[in-house]
Amino acid sequence: MVELERRDAERRRAVRIGNLTIGETRPVVIAGPCSVEPGYVDQAADIAETGADALRAGVFKPRTHPDSFQGMGLEALPLLAEARRRTGLPLISEVLCEADAEALREHTDGYQVGTRNMQNYRLLEALGDLGRPVILKRGLSATIDEWIAASEYIRRRGNDDVILCERGIRTFETRTRNTLDVSAVVVARELTDLPVIVDPSHAAGKREWVPALARAALAVGADGLLVEAHPAPALAWSDAAQTIDVATLADLVDATHSSPLPCPRLEACR
Ligand code: PEP
Ligand code: MN
């Protein structure tokens, strides 16, 4: 196996997404519905009220079954523009291919590569060439080394604005949707200079479990959270069961913003 090029993890890299910096001062919260749906602008305004730092704004949804809602696609662009105008928050949207990224370029501030596309190397290279920030989710069966190696496909094209996101991996356990690998936060922060955030929603699969997993992520030094939230979670068009309400999100934002700074190495936390 090729050895990972060890980036200087002592010198943490902060990544800017619009007016937000991740990995610099305090941990951040990126929140919003699983997918952009017709009521998105009002939902975004409610989420902004909690003090969240950026909005989930997915319009292309990589659903496991083709009959599931696939996202509003380009029809949602006016909603993104209005949500941005009303909240002033940066928008992050998942892209499945280079054409998606081109189409969203002016309407979003950062891209997300989902777990299913972590090893879509042509996509990663294209995002490297586009030179805009990328949240790279860990593949659902990817090792930490494979995940970091995937980030290099973006970086080798001259784009170092990459944020790693642990979102749970597939194990023998079926009670949770995925198994949140909190150790991955510690290890990835030791092996790379990149910020590492955690998505407790896709790990838990159940909204009642999300706050505890989020706090676990902060406790191990995550640079932020990516959370599914909605003013009426049960009505969310996708991933309703794991979507938290706005009051729960507000508590989580407070807890996150008052968390101690993540430290590069655990020794430094003592
Ligand atoms: C998402 O965050 O919208 C998503 C699809 O998550 P994942 O790629 O982790 O399944
Ligand atoms: Mn989802």
Side-chain angles (χ1 to χ4, degrees), residues 33-35 56 61 63 137 177 199 201-202 228 238-239 242-243:
C34 174
S35 50
R56 285 180 56 94
K61 298 305 297 180
R63 304 306 296 283
K137 288 191 143 195
R177 182 171 177 183
D199 170 353
S201 309
H202 290 86
E228 290 186 337
S238 48
D239 283 347
Q242 67 195 33
T243 299

Side-chain angles (χ1 to χ4, degrees), residues 135-177:
I135 294 178
L136 179 63
K137 288 191 143 195
R138 181 179 180 184
L140 75 168
S141 294
T143 65
I144 296 170
D145 280 16
E146 287 164 344
W147 183 29
I148 295 172
S151 73
E152 289 291 336
Y153 277 88
I154 303 169
R155 302 185 75 175
R156 299 285 168 98
R157 297 292 185 127
N159 180 2
D160 285 316
D161 289 338
V162 181
I163 295 154
L164 300 173
C165 179
E166 160 64 33
R167 47 77 72 197
I169 51 174
R170 184 161 282 181
T171 68
F172 53 81
E173 183 54 68
T174 55
R175 283 280 174 189
T176 48
R177 182 171 177 183

